[in-house]
Amino acid sequence: MTEEYTASKPIYLQIADRIIREIVRKELALGDKLPSVREMAVQSGVNPNTIQRTYSELERMDIVETRRGQGTFVTEKKEVLTELNEKVQREVIESFIRNMKELGLTKVQMIQGVEKYLDRRGEE
């Protein structure tokens, strides 16, 4: 399951983003154990040092915690998950709006476009 990485962002941050998305989508729950550095390196097709840096960055962000001799775990702090959800949502919205503005769309056109899309899909 080796992944494709872009040159525009460091690989360790791309892997951190993937783990964050898995947490937001609840594929990883609060308190879940992450694969060992070695396992994750093999799964991701990268050097173990890259994964160590990923885990260190996630720990710095308070998203995971390392327990000596046990491994690395998703935090059990619900407020961290709430903040993470809001941050990811905000980033997706900002990216969407930036792309729509680049196309020259107005706020009204953006909202109408989203509403049309959701109506076609039968979503509220």
Side-chain angles (χ1 to χ4, degrees):
M1 170 183 124
T2 326
E3 294 190 27
E4 298 281 325
Y5 299 103
T6 65
S8 61
K9 188 176 194 177
I11 292 173
Y12 79 97
L13 290 177
Q14 292 177 60
I15 296 169
D17 286 346
R18 186 188 75 218
I19 293 169
I20 288 168
R21 284 192 309 275
E22 289 173 1
I23 294 168
V24 168
R25 287 193 305 254
K26 296 186 168 84
E27 293 168 12
L28 284 172
L30 296 179
D32 277 0
K33 187 178 191 303
L34 295 179
S36 71
V37 168
R38 189 170 279 118
E39 286 175 67
M40 182 66 93
V42 170
Q43 288 174 13
S44 303
V46 298
N47 186 300
N49 293 333
T50 302
I51 300 302
Q52 187 57 57
R53 193 163 180 194
T54 298
Y55 283 5
S56 295
E57 180 66 15
L58 290 170
E59 192 164 17
R60 187 192 63 73
M61 297 166 74
D62 213 22
I63 295 169
V64 301
E65 55 189 49
T66 300
R67 299 180 197 149
R68 191 171 182 90
Q70 295 179 36
T72 304
F73 297 81
V74 176
T75 185
E76 293 186 23
K77 300 174 189 167
K78 288 183 181 171
E79 65 276 6
V80 170
L81 185 60
T82 301
E83 285 176 32
L84 197 56
N85 277 310
E86 290 170 359
K87 179 180 182 273
V88 169
Q89 183 179 351
R90 194 170 44 253
E91 288 171 355
V92 169
I93 291 169
E94 287 169 0
S95 174
F96 169 78
I97 290 172
R98 191 172 40 256
N99 288 330
M100 294 296 108
K101 282 182 176 178
E102 285 175 9
L103 293 174
L105 297 176
T106 66
K107 178 181 175 180
V108 170
Q109 289 171 316
M110 287 181 220
I111 292 169
Q112 288 172 341
V114 169
E115 287 174 341
K116 248 191 246 181
Y117 176 82
L118 293 175
D119 287 345
R120 276 198 317 267
R121 295 186 47 121
E123 298 176 23
E124 292 184 29

